[in-house]
Amino acid sequence: MTDCIFCKIIKGELPGDFVYKNDSVAVFKSIKPSAPIHLLVVPQINRHIGSINDLEEGDRAIVSELFLVAKKVAKDFNLDQTGYKLVFNVGRGGGQLIDHLHLHLLGGWKNVEASRKNMP
Ligand code: 5GP
Ligand code: ZN
């Protein structure tokens, strides 16, 4: 998708603060964090997937990879012991503003009350 912000970030056409990349997934910081640590786990594959709504049977591998990368990066940021949230917004009614599938990885709050106040 030529006008997709996340496609442009992945291709290096727009700046992105990357914390991890492999062949199929990139992770970069959210420009407007909803948590002390707010990362976006994003597929970088040939097919542009808009949201969970657009997933097909053949997308099992990339969906698994999003979760496994999220788990790895959470550990890299020392969130594995303190805990974290993984969130998919789906469509405008679900709060999704960027139509490129992404998993929000959020954490770093000081206590459980703070962790329950903000959603991406
Ligand atoms: P959504 O609302 O679509 O689920 O989440 C979009 C996420 O992308 C939000 O965390 C928002 O702050 C982030 N975001 C929007 N535009 C940009 C951008 O240009 N660069 C980066 N790094 N993050 C962005
Ligand atoms: Zn895109």
Side-chain angles (χ1 to χ4, degrees):
M1 247 204 190
T2 49
D3 60 346
C4 169
I5 290 174
F6 283 4
C7 281
K8 287 183 177 169
I9 291 174
I10 286 164
K11 284 188 206 149
E13 295 169 8
L14 284 175
D17 196 349
F18 289 93
V19 300
Y20 178 81
K21 258 186 197 179
N22 68 17
D23 288 346
S24 57
V25 174
V27 185
F28 52 86
K29 293 183 182 174
S30 170
I31 205 167
K32 197 178 158 205
S34 303
I37 296 169
H38 185 173
L39 305 173
L40 303 167
V41 185
V42 182
Q44 46 171 4
I45 56 174
N46 284 337
R47 197 166 77 75
H48 185 274
I49 305 174
S51 81
I52 291 279
N53 265 346
D54 303 303
L55 286 176
E56 297 174 358
E57 286 295 325
D59 294 326
R60 287 171 195 273
I62 189 63
V63 172
S64 311
E65 189 63 15
L66 291 175
F67 284 105
L68 289 171
V69 166
K71 177 197 156 189
K72 183 216 156 1
V73 174
K75 190 167 166 51
D76 293 345
F77 278 75
N78 298 313
L79 296 175
D80 54 326
Q81 298 302 316
T82 54
Y84 53 94
K85 289 184 200 295
L86 296 175
V87 177
F88 284 107
N89 291 334
V90 184
R92 296 295 177 269
Q96 184 179 12
L97 295 174
I98 306 284
D99 293 327
H100 182 127
L101 181 67
H102 54 282
L103 177 57
H104 295 262
L105 166 54
L106 307 123
W109 297 283
K110 291 212 168 6
N111 53 52
V112 67
E113 288 76 23
S115 82
R116 296 177 69 86
K117 272 187 191 143
N118 295 299
M119 292 297 282

